[in-house]
Amino acid sequence: MRLIVLKDYQGVSDWAARYVARSIAEYNAEDKDRDFVLGLPTGSSPIGMYRRLVELHKAGSLSFSRVVTFNMDEYIGLPSDHPRSYHTFMNEQLFSLVDIDPAKANLPNGNAPDLEAECARYEAAIEASGGVDLFVGGVGSDGHLAFNMPGSSLASRTRVKTLTASTRQANARFFDGDPEAVPSTALTVGVGTIMAAREVLIIVSGQSKARALRHAVEEGVNHLWPLSCLQLHPSSILVCDEESTMELKAGTVQYFNEIEAVGA
């Protein structure tokens, strides 16, 4: 596990965007016979990264023409063109602003007539693409990844999840402050889906994420803190701001800073 500590959210966003852009460029420079497969999140955490990726694209230094994306989740029951759907979010934040082929931008269908079949189809599509090369995500204050709430199986795959009251309350900010307007269920990739990616990059920002970061870095692997599963991943990165490290021991932060300085 790598722990990258930066001053603030802007620094985190810039670092994450540059890492994604470099990963795509290096992969495509090898002229492989399949597109780069990128897993993507929604929510507040990646917005700064998406803005920076769009800037890099407009500057001519990043192309999504040979990129396939798979998003982490989608609400059940919201039309894809609903202003609060994750389809809309991704179109507004990234897809409509870069040169990605819309047919290569994948999100789970929360309106599928058979949701279990849709989950199986989504997993099969990831596998058919060659597997995710880099999965980018955010984390909740309780350590959840995508909609994998505390207690989720670390071997879980794409499935239907009922959202907790705290999650609906947290997401109410996107629904005019009304938690009752937040759908009660969603389709989400599983912890196992994320862990199957060749690399995982998680954005951690703000004091509210400090406890989750401590459990992920300093405590043991625990399904009550899903983020901690990254301890078992061979190539995982937590890129975080100083506020989110407030519950880490000073020695822990110093250790990871020294490791990154040596590798710089």
Coordinates of all heavy atoms in Angstrom, one line a residue, residues 1 139-145 148-154 191 208-217 219-232 247:
M1 N 0.8 -1.2 0.0 CA 0.0 0.0 0.0 C 0.9 1.2 0.0 O 1.8 1.3 0.7 CB -0.9 0.0 1.2 CG -1.7 1.3 1.4 SD -2.6 1.4 3.0 CE -3.8 0.1 2.8
V139 N -14.1 7.3 -0.6 CA -14.4 6.5 0.6 C -15.4 7.3 1.5 O -15.3 8.5 1.6 CB -13.1 6.1 1.4 CG1 -12.4 7.3 1.9 CG2 -13.5 5.2 2.5
G140 N -16.3 6.6 2.1 CA -17.2 7.3 3.0 C -16.6 7.4 4.4 O -15.5 6.8 4.7
S141 N -17.2 8.2 5.2 CA -16.6 8.4 6.6 C -16.7 7.2 7.4 O -15.9 7.0 8.4 CB -17.4 9.5 7.3 OG -18.8 9.2 7.4
D142 N -17.5 6.2 7.1 CA -17.6 4.9 7.7 C -16.7 3.9 7.1 O -16.8 2.7 7.4 CB -19.0 4.4 7.9 CG -19.7 4.3 6.5 OD1 -19.1 4.5 5.5 OD2 -20.9 3.9 6.5
G143 N -15.9 4.3 6.1 CA -15.0 3.4 5.4 C -15.6 2.6 4.2 O -15.0 1.7 3.7
H144 N -16.8 3.0 3.8 CA -17.4 2.3 2.7 C -16.8 2.6 1.4 O -16.4 3.7 1.1 CB -19.0 2.4 2.7 CG -19.5 3.8 2.2 ND1 -19.9 4.8 3.0 CD2 -19.6 4.3 0.9 CE1 -20.3 5.8 2.3 NE2 -20.1 5.5 1.0
L145 N -16.8 1.6 0.5 CA -16.3 1.8 -0.9 C -17.5 1.5 -1.8 O -18.2 0.5 -1.7 CB -15.2 0.8 -1.2 CG -13.9 1.0 -0.5 CD1 -13.0 -0.2 -0.7 CD2 -13.2 2.3 -0.8
N148 N -20.6 -0.4 -0.8 CA -20.3 -1.5 0.1 C -20.2 -1.0 1.5 O -19.1 -0.5 1.9 CB -19.0 -2.2 -0.4 CG -19.1 -2.8 -1.8 OD1 -19.8 -3.8 -1.9 ND2 -18.6 -2.1 -2.8
M149 N -21.3 -1.1 2.2 CA -21.3 -0.5 3.6 C -20.6 -1.4 4.6 O -20.2 -2.6 4.3 CB -22.8 -0.4 4.0 CG -23.6 0.4 3.1 SD -23.0 2.1 3.1 CE -23.3 2.6 1.4
P150 N -20.3 -0.9 5.8 CA -19.7 -1.7 6.8 C -20.4 -3.0 7.0 O -21.6 -3.1 7.1 CB -19.8 -0.8 8.0 CG -19.7 0.6 7.5 CD -20.5 0.5 6.2
G151 N -19.7 -4.1 7.0 CA -20.2 -5.5 7.1 C -20.3 -6.2 5.8 O -20.6 -7.4 5.7
S152 N -20.0 -5.5 4.7 CA -20.1 -6.1 3.4 C -19.0 -7.1 3.2 O -17.9 -7.0 3.8 CB -19.8 -5.0 2.2 OG -20.9 -4.1 2.2
S153 N -19.3 -8.2 2.5 CA -18.3 -9.2 2.3 C -17.1 -8.7 1.5 O -17.3 -8.0 0.5 CB -18.9 -10.4 1.5 OG -17.9 -11.3 1.0
L154 N -15.9 -9.0 1.9 CA -14.7 -8.6 1.1 C -14.6 -9.3 -0.2 O -13.7 -9.0 -1.0 CB -13.5 -8.7 2.0 CG -13.5 -7.9 3.3 CD1 -12.1 -8.0 4.0 CD2 -13.9 -6.5 3.1
V191 N -16.8 -5.3 -3.2 CA -15.4 -5.2 -2.8 C -14.5 -6.1 -3.6 O -13.4 -5.7 -4.0 CB -15.3 -5.5 -1.3 CG1 -13.8 -5.4 -0.8 CG2 -16.2 -4.6 -0.4
S208 N -13.5 14.4 8.1 CA -14.6 13.4 8.3 C -14.1 12.0 7.9 O -14.7 11.0 8.3 CB -15.8 13.8 7.5 OG -15.6 13.7 6.1
K209 N -13.1 11.9 7.1 CA -12.6 10.6 6.6 C -11.4 10.1 7.4 O -10.8 9.0 7.1 CB -12.1 10.7 5.1 CG -13.1 11.4 4.2 CD -14.4 10.6 4.1 CE -15.4 11.3 3.2 NZ -15.0 11.4 1.8
A210 N -11.0 10.9 8.5 CA -9.8 10.5 9.2 C -9.9 9.2 9.9 O -8.9 8.4 10.0 CB -9.5 11.6 10.2
R211 N -11.0 8.9 10.5 CA -11.2 7.6 11.2 C -11.1 6.4 10.3 O -10.5 5.4 10.5 CB -12.5 7.6 12.0 CG -12.7 6.3 12.8 CD -13.7 6.4 13.9 NE -13.3 7.5 14.8 CZ -14.0 7.9 15.9 NH1 -15.2 7.3 16.1 NH2 -13.5 8.8 16.7
A212 N -11.7 6.6 9.1 CA -11.7 5.5 8.1 C -10.3 5.3 7.6 O -9.8 4.1 7.5 CB -12.6 5.8 6.9
L213 N -9.5 6.4 7.4 CA -8.1 6.2 7.0 C -7.3 5.5 8.1 O -6.5 4.7 7.7 CB -7.6 7.6 6.7 CG -6.2 7.6 6.1 CD1 -6.1 6.9 4.7 CD2 -5.7 9.1 5.9
R214 N -7.5 5.9 9.3 CA -6.8 5.2 10.4 C -7.0 3.7 10.4 O -6.1 2.9 10.5 CB -7.1 5.8 11.7 CG -6.5 5.1 12.9 CD -6.7 5.8 14.2 NE -8.1 6.0 14.6 CZ -8.8 5.0 15.2 NH1 -8.3 3.8 15.4 NH2 -10.1 5.2 15.5
H215 N -8.3 3.3 10.3 CA -8.6 1.9 10.3 C -8.0 1.2 9.1 O -7.5 0.1 9.2 CB -10.1 1.7 10.3 CG -10.7 1.8 11.7 ND1 -10.8 0.7 12.5 CD2 -11.3 2.8 12.3 CE1 -11.3 1.1 13.7 NE2 -11.7 2.4 13.6
A216 N -7.9 1.9 8.0 CA -7.4 1.3 6.7 C -5.9 1.1 6.8 O -5.4 0.2 6.2 CB -7.8 2.1 5.5
V217 N -5.2 2.0 7.5 CA -3.8 2.0 7.4 C -3.2 1.4 8.7 O -2.2 0.6 8.6 CB -3.2 3.5 7.3 CG1 -1.7 3.5 7.3 CG2 -3.7 4.1 5.9
E219 N -4.9 -0.2 11.4 CA -5.6 -1.4 12.1 C -5.6 -2.5 11.1 O -5.1 -2.5 10.0 CB -7.1 -1.0 12.4 CG -7.2 0.3 13.2 CD -6.6 0.2 14.6 OE1 -6.5 -1.0 15.1 OE2 -6.2 1.2 15.2
G220 N -6.2 -3.7 11.5 CA -6.2 -4.9 10.7 C -7.3 -4.8 9.7 O -8.2 -3.9 9.7
V221 N -7.3 -5.8 8.8 CA -8.4 -5.9 7.8 C -9.6 -6.3 8.5 O -9.7 -7.3 9.3 CB -8.0 -7.0 6.7 CG1 -9.1 -7.2 5.7 CG2 -6.7 -6.6 6.0
N222 N -10.7 -5.6 8.2 CA -12.0 -5.7 8.9 C -13.1 -5.4 8.0 O -13.2 -4.3 7.4 CB -12.0 -4.8 10.1 CG -13.1 -5.1 11.1 OD1 -14.2 -5.5 10.7 ND2 -12.9 -4.8 12.4
H223 N -14.1 -6.3 7.8 CA -15.2 -6.1 6.9 C -16.1 -4.9 7.4 O -16.9 -4.4 6.7 CB -16.0 -7.3 6.7 CG -16.8 -7.8 7.9 ND1 -16.1 -8.2 9.1 CD2 -18.1 -7.9 8.2 CE1 -17.0 -8.6 10.0 NE2 -18.2 -8.4 9.4
L224 N -15.9 -4.5 8.7 CA -16.7 -3.4 9.2 C -16.1 -2.1 8.7 O -16.7 -1.0 8.9 CB -16.7 -3.4 10.7 CG -17.5 -4.6 11.3 CD1 -17.5 -4.6 12.8 CD2 -19.0 -4.6 10.8
W225 N -14.8 -2.1 8.2 CA -14.2 -1.0 7.6 C -13.7 -1.4 6.2 O -12.6 -1.8 6.0 CB -13.0 -0.5 8.4 CG -13.5 0.1 9.7 CD1 -13.6 -0.6 10.9 CD2 -13.9 1.5 10.0 NE1 -14.1 0.3 11.9 CE2 -14.3 1.5 11.3 CE3 -14.0 2.6 9.2 CZ2 -14.7 2.7 11.9 CZ3 -14.4 3.8 9.7 CH2 -14.8 3.8 11.1
P226 N -14.6 -1.4 5.2 CA -14.3 -2.0 3.9 C -13.0 -1.4 3.3 O -12.3 -2.2 2.6 CB -15.5 -1.6 3.0 CG -16.6 -1.6 4.0 CD -16.0 -1.0 5.3
L227 N -12.7 -0.2 3.5 CA -11.4 0.4 3.0 C -10.2 -0.4 3.4 O -9.2 -0.4 2.7 CB -11.3 1.9 3.4 CG -10.1 2.6 2.8 CD1 -10.2 2.7 1.3 CD2 -10.0 4.0 3.5
S228 N -10.3 -1.0 4.5 CA -9.1 -1.8 5.0 C -8.7 -2.9 4.1 O -7.6 -3.4 4.2 CB -9.4 -2.3 6.5 OG -10.4 -3.3 6.5
C229 N -9.6 -3.3 3.2 CA -9.3 -4.4 2.3 C -8.1 -4.1 1.5 O -7.4 -5.0 1.0 CB -10.5 -4.8 1.4 SG -10.9 -3.5 0.2
L230 N -7.8 -2.8 1.3 CA -6.7 -2.5 0.4 C -5.3 -2.9 0.9 O -4.3 -3.0 0.2 CB -6.6 -1.0 0.2 CG -7.8 -0.4 -0.6 CD1 -7.5 1.1 -1.0 CD2 -8.1 -1.2 -1.9
Q231 N -5.3 -3.3 2.2 CA -4.1 -3.9 2.8 C -3.7 -5.2 2.1 O -2.5 -5.6 2.0 CB -4.2 -4.2 4.3 CG -4.4 -2.9 5.1 CD -4.6 -3.3 6.6 OE1 -4.1 -4.3 7.1 NE2 -5.4 -2.5 7.3
L232 N -4.7 -5.8 1.5 CA -4.5 -7.1 0.8 C -4.2 -7.0 -0.7 O -4.0 -8.0 -1.4 CB -5.7 -8.0 1.0 CG -6.1 -8.3 2.5 CD1 -7.4 -9.1 2.6 CD2 -4.9 -9.0 3.2
E247 N -6.0 11.4 12.4 CA -6.1 10.3 13.4 C -4.9 9.4 13.3 O -4.8 8.4 14.0 CB -7.4 9.6 13.4 CG -8.6 10.5 13.9 CD -9.8 9.6 14.3 OE1 -9.6 8.4 14.5 OE2 -10.9 10.2 14.3

